[in-house]
Amino acid sequence: MSPRERTTTAEDARCPRLPDRLGGLWTLANDLSWTWNPEAPTLFRAIDPPLWRRTRHNPVALLRTVGAERLRSVAEDPVFLRRYDAALDVRRDAVAVGHAREPGTAGHADDVGADATPTWFDERYPAFRDLPVAYFCAEFALHESIPIYSGGLGVLAGDHLKAASELGVPLVGVGLMYAHGYFDQTLGSDGWQDDADDPLDPDLTPLERLRGVDGVPWLASIRGGGRRIHIGAWRLRVGRVSLYLLDTDLEENDPADRGLSHQLYAGGADHRLRQEAILGVGGVRVLAALGIEPGAWHANEGHAAFMMVERVRRLMRDGRSFADAVSRVRASTVFTTHTPVSAGHDVFSHAQMREWIGETFWEEIPHREELLGLGRHPDDEAQDRFHMTAAAIRLSRRVNGVSARHGRVSRNIWRGLWEDRAAGEVPIRHVTNGVHLATWMSDDIAGLLDEWLPAGWRCTDDEAMWGAVRDVPAPALWRVRRRLKLRLLDLMRDEARRRWPGHWTESAHLAGAGTLMSPEPLTIGFARRFATYKRADLIFRDRERLLALLSDPARPVQLIFAGKAHPRDDDGKRVLQRVYEHTRDPEFEGRIAFLENYGLHAAHGLVEGVDLWLNLPRVPLEASGTSGMKAALNGVPQLATADGWWEEGFEGDNGWIIPLAPATASEEEVDEHDAEHLFRLLEEDVIPLYYDRPGAGAADDAPASWLAPARRAIEVAGARFTAGRMVRDYARDYYVPSLRGDD
């Protein structure tokens, strides 16, 4: 048998005993396509609503915890059974493929159906439908119960897999299995962030352990630090797509190596170097052990650059010259860079490379200098350093940024790799990010659009079809928007109740958690990683002006903040602390709140429930940003600087934009300029528009003037900024040309 046939399946001993009529529940729970199956969440919730909340919407934990008597009861409920059958029908459509694919690649052997409706990719590129595209990323955000993500990069990668599944793109994801998660955030009474492990229990997730020859728990190995490091793997099913998560926490490994895959972005540079070798080198070797032969390779950020170096090494081992090996790897490789911030690009010394992973790359061939040279940066005076992004760019035929502005910025940053070219001629393009519509648009908004948009609106970027959003009546949209805000406030109160007994020692935390907030005021949301350039504290530059806005008895305003600072980013933690201090200030009357431990569950509540989304990065340091796209899909306009996606997404009537400061302005002058324009927009445009309500005696209080940009926000985001559009762009302009071997 091949290694593929010795996997632990979703129908293994972990499966709870289910009534025969409900035997498909376990299969449904163990395929993450349930997260965008419109029938599945309602189905699982109906089994046991309180338990569904306590398990934080985790169907595997629900089924392993709920009592047998309750399952027997719902198995006899005709309403539940209709929902169950409908959810299984949707799941079958979500995984069905109209042709055979290799087990373990995109699609699964038991889901093949000759009569299945061809997918978008099948119809357009039938010659390449059985050639997998390997998609490498250091983090993936797919569900709250699998905390192997830190923020935007992981959410983007998760949405990429979901959209690829829907479109039938034969994608195979490769990442790392962080058994201790990223971290669990709690704030002390002084607002300082404490970081604790957020452990992952595989038995409460849809993770499937893969096994190698003779049932051993590892599939490949690398050498580093004088030892061999064995690498295991887990599989997650995401509809038609499989995600393989690599793991070194095996008894066969030295204790020092078992922790390499424990936590996302943990440890110092040596630790990161070895993690990235496991991801890149180990990922290539694990795919080979599984019999998966990708036709194209996509590195999502520089963390995965060793995937390319390993492929060069393997070709040289097989007799290819260095130049020929590089050319062959480049021809089939796509690289996406996600940040212009220097701290986001990993750099390792040659000494570190030799000590920790040197044996991996030259245990069979002696070409050390050629391989190390792939990571040299011509602008770095120290020529004994390996730049992961430089190596990735050198080894990729197709390179892109993640917005039009970021493409321009990236061409300027990396033009040194093309000595004879001006910045405008550097071959770095862009694919603007998008978000998975079925994941991020609330069921309430989607249900409303079902009534007013033509059939098929969920699967198209046709601007004429999306233009029908303008026909949605203001009262109907306002009722949905009010319902979503009330749900957000309930979420915040529930989170406060959950944290108060175990984490908070004084009642002052409760006000800061949003328990005093009302559904009536204009509510502004700001949620993202607390990095200094994202300027979460910009609105606090003028305390008196802010106080006047928040405490206006006729037109009050509320602010909700959320997000984590990187555990080693003390400057970011100080920004968070300054924001948190304002939540405890009684002068603000409880109108500023901080929602702790921001993750996917809280993100849904915020992007759906606030009235206005705020994004204030210092231009041009935000490569794209996607939180505003998620908010827009729910009828929440954005007020932001002219950075990332908003530079191209702002249409004049779907939100507000802060104009660029003069190019000669200092950083302090830029902050002052942006703060002034922020307050001016709030005072003169945003707040008056929100409170422009019908007069006394009107049948409803829907602010028609405010709902015009809300509709346009939905229209523009739905037509231009979904993950479906993004993955179609990658498939058409990057994957298929790589599969064809185009120059």
Side-chain angles (χ1 to χ4, degrees):
M1 290 191 296
S2 72
R4 291 193 301 271
E5 295 171 306
R6 284 187 295 274
T7 64
T8 303
T9 71
E11 306 298 336
D12 66 6
R14 296 190 309 142
C15 179
R17 292 184 63 84
L18 297 171
D20 291 342
R21 181 65 172 87
L22 302 181
L25 275 177
W26 189 244
T27 298
L28 184 66
N30 278 275
D31 183 338
L32 287 168
S33 65
W34 78 261
T35 61
W36 72 90
N37 179 330
E39 305 293 339
T42 302
L43 177 74
F44 289 125
R45 184 185 304 113
I47 293 174
D48 189 329
L51 183 58
W52 180 244
R53 287 194 298 273
R54 289 199 301 275
T55 60
R56 301 183 71 79
H57 303 172
N58 179 349
V60 173
L62 174 81
L63 294 178
R64 290 180 61 79
T65 308
V66 69
E69 183 176 346
R70 177 57 184 163
L71 289 172
R72 286 193 295 270
S73 174
V74 296
E76 297 173 357
D77 180 345
V79 174
F80 182 87
L81 292 176
R82 283 196 295 272
R83 286 177 176 166
Y84 168 75
D85 291 337
L88 288 188
D89 287 343
V90 172
R91 192 254 170 187
R92 276 190 287 270
D93 290 342
V95 301
V97 290
H99 53 278
R101 284 182 174 140
E102 284 294 309
T105 65
H108 311 295
D110 57 342
D111 300 320
V112 175
D115 297 326
T117 302
T119 66
W120 174 87
F121 192 87
D122 291 339
E123 288 185 328
R124 286 157 182 77
Y125 308 108
F128 303 109
R129 62 191 186 182
D130 295 320
L131 283 175
V133 177
Y135 181 85
F136 281 63
C137 190
E139 54 176 295
F140 289 87
L142 291 159
H143 188 259
E144 184 96 351
S145 63
I146 311 167
I148 57 172
Y149 60 92
S150 69
L153 179 68
V155 175
L156 185 281
D159 283 4
H160 196 109
L161 297 192
K162 294 175 183 179
S165 173
E166 289 180 317
L167 295 168
V169 178
L171 206 71
V172 176
V174 179
L176 292 176
M177 163 64 170
Y178 304 106
H180 293 187
Y182 182 41
F183 71 90
D184 185 77
Q185 177 196 56
T186 58
L187 302 183
S189 59
D190 62 352
W192 189 253
Q193 174 181 288
D194 293 321
D195 318 317
D197 284 356
D198 188 12
L200 187 159
D201 182 352
D203 285 339
L204 299 180
T205 72
L207 286 160
E208 306 168 22
R209 165 69 81 181
L210 306 186
R211 294 190 177 274
V213 177
D214 298 326
V216 299
W218 52 274
L219 294 160
S221 66
I222 65 173
R223 289 192 62 82
R227 298 183 297 272
R228 183 161 295 280
I229 304 171
H230 296 90
I231 301 171
W234 302 77
R235 181 172 72 174
L236 278 173
R237 292 192 174 197
V238 189
R240 296 181 178 93
V241 168
S242 287
L243 170 61
Y244 297 99
L245 299 173
L246 312 183
D247 175 22
T248 64
D249 192 4
L250 305 171
E251 292 182 0
E252 291 84 351
N253 284 332
D254 185 273
D257 298 328
R258 294 186 64 168
L260 289 174
S261 62
H262 277 177
Q263 201 156 26
L264 175 63
Y265 303 146
D270 293 342
H271 188 90
R272 287 287 296 278
L273 170 62
R274 300 168 81 193
Q275 277 190 330
E276 293 178 14
I278 291 162
L279 172 64
V281 182
V284 172
R285 297 181 182 184
V286 163
L287 291 181
L290 291 171
I292 299 171
E293 300 179 3
W297 305 73
H298 185 175
N300 195 42
E301 194 52 282
H303 311 117
F306 288 138
M307 168 264 283
M308 309 169 200
V309 180
E310 166 66 3
R311 288 160 54 219
V312 169
R313 185 198 70 81
R314 291 165 79 88
L315 287 168
M316 293 172 69
R317 178 201 61 188
D318 293 340
R320 301 285 181 182
S321 69
F322 175 73
D324 185 37
V326 168
S327 178
R328 287 172 178 267
V329 167
R330 291 188 75 246
S332 59
T333 303
V334 176
F335 171 59
T336 300
T337 177
H338 280 268
T339 179
V341 179
S342 58
H345 299 277
D346 289 330
V347 180
F348 304 110
S349 71
H350 286 185
Q352 288 174 307
M353 295 277 287
R354 292 187 179 96
E355 179 177 2
W356 292 112
I357 62 168
E359 298 161 278
T360 290
F361 287 122
W362 34 81
E363 59 184 338
E364 298 175 8
I365 56 173
H367 298 269
R368 302 187 181 192
E369 292 309 311
E370 291 95 331
L371 292 175
L372 288 172
L374 293 170
R376 287 197 175 94
H377 195 302
D379 297 336
D380 187 350
E381 293 182 1
Q383 289 297 294
D384 63 343
R385 303 204 301 170
F386 191 95
H387 294 252
M388 295 290 280
T389 302
I393 291 173
R394 279 196 177 93
L395 291 171
S396 301
R397 177 68 49 81
R398 293 164 184 87
V399 181
N400 69 282
V402 289
S403 69
R405 171 177 280 277
H406 182 230
R408 297 195 303 272
V409 170
S410 296
R411 287 190 286 277
N412 188 61
I413 290 174
W414 298 103
R415 63 181 176 178
L417 298 182
W418 290 269
E419 296 180 5
D420 58 341
R421 300 194 188 188
E425 299 173 347
V426 168
I428 297 177
R429 301 161 64 190
H430 78 275
V431 175
T432 301
N433 284 342
V435 298
H436 188 240
L437 185 148
T439 294
W440 292 106
M441 179 180 281
S442 72
D443 291 342
D444 303 76
I445 293 289
L448 180 63
L449 298 190
D450 280 338
E451 299 177 24
W452 294 94
L453 268 63
W457 66 267
R458 298 170 189 253
C459 306
T460 184
D461 52 10
D462 182 279
E463 297 199 9
M465 183 177 288
W466 278 97
V469 172
R470 303 180 201 181
D471 298 329
V472 176
L477 179 56
W478 185 241
R479 283 193 295 272
V480 171
R481 292 290 323 134
R482 290 275 297 179
R483 188 158 64 243
L484 292 172
K485 182 187 281 189
L486 289 169
R487 195 174 298 155
L488 168 62
L489 297 180
D490 284 344
L491 167 68
M492 296 176 70
R493 282 189 285 270
D494 285 345
E495 287 296 305
R497 282 191 204 96
R498 189 173 66 85
R499 286 187 167 264
W500 190 16
H503 297 280
W504 296 340
T505 58
E506 53 185 64
S507 59
H509 273 289
L510 293 174
T515 57
L516 300 182
M517 287 191 161
S518 160
E520 303 306 324
L522 169 68
T523 302
I524 301 173
F526 183 104
R528 55 196 24 87
R529 181 167 56 88
F530 272 76
T532 54
Y533 76 87
K534 294 179 183 284
R535 300 190 299 183
D537 55 349
L538 186 69
I539 199 169
F540 298 108
R541 283 182 69 94
D542 191 330
R543 173 187 166 81
E544 295 308 313
R545 207 167 173 181
L546 177 61
L547 183 59
L549 294 182
L550 270 59
S551 60
D552 185 332
R555 303 188 306 187
V557 176
Q558 297 176 154
L559 296 171
I560 301 175
F561 291 88
K564 297 177 178 179
H566 190 286
R568 294 192 302 281
D569 181 6
D570 283 351
D571 289 338
K573 289 182 179 182
R574 280 187 279 272
V575 173
L576 192 160
Q577 186 177 40
R578 287 196 293 273
V579 169
Y580 182 76
E581 287 171 353
H582 289 87
T583 71
R584 298 164 65 87
D585 189 332
E587 282 198 88
F588 288 115
E589 302 176 3
R591 297 199 187 278
I592 304 176
F594 192 97
L595 182 57
E596 287 188 31
N597 205 34
Y598 190 56
L600 290 180
H601 181 60
H604 281 280
L606 277 169
V607 299
E608 295 171 9
V610 298
D611 298 306
L612 177 74
W613 197 256
L614 197 61
N615 189 17
L616 302 170
R618 187 176 289 114
V619 181
L621 300 180
E622 183 88 295
S624 176
T626 56
S627 60
M629 301 174 189
K630 298 161 192 164
L633 286 176
N634 291 286
V636 179
Q638 177 172 253
L639 192 168
T641 52
D643 207 4
W645 81 280
W646 194 231
E647 182 194 49
E648 62 198 89
F650 175 66
E651 293 288 330
D653 58 357
N654 62 333
W656 295 266
I657 198 165
I658 293 174
L660 291 171
T664 57
S666 67
E667 189 172 285
E668 174 63 23
E669 290 169 336
V670 168
D671 288 351
E672 185 62 32
H673 167 279
D674 290 355
E676 171 60 29
H677 282 274
L678 168 62
F679 277 107
R680 191 180 303 170
L681 285 168
L682 289 172
E683 293 163 346
E684 299 176 6
D685 295 342
V686 176
I687 297 172
L689 196 69
Y690 183 80
Y691 285 101
D692 181 11
R693 305 292 174 87
D700 62 77
D701 67 344
S705 299
W706 176 262
L707 292 171
R711 287 193 198 90
R712 277 289 284 157
I714 297 172
E715 178 186 350
V716 173
R720 293 167 48 196
F721 296 102
T722 67
R725 187 274 310 154
M726 173 185 71
V727 172
R728 284 191 291 269
D729 287 351
Y730 275 113
R732 181 185 62 248
D733 299 332
Y734 293 77
Y735 296 162
V736 170
S738 297
L739 293 167
R740 280 197 304 249
D742 295 351
D743 290 334

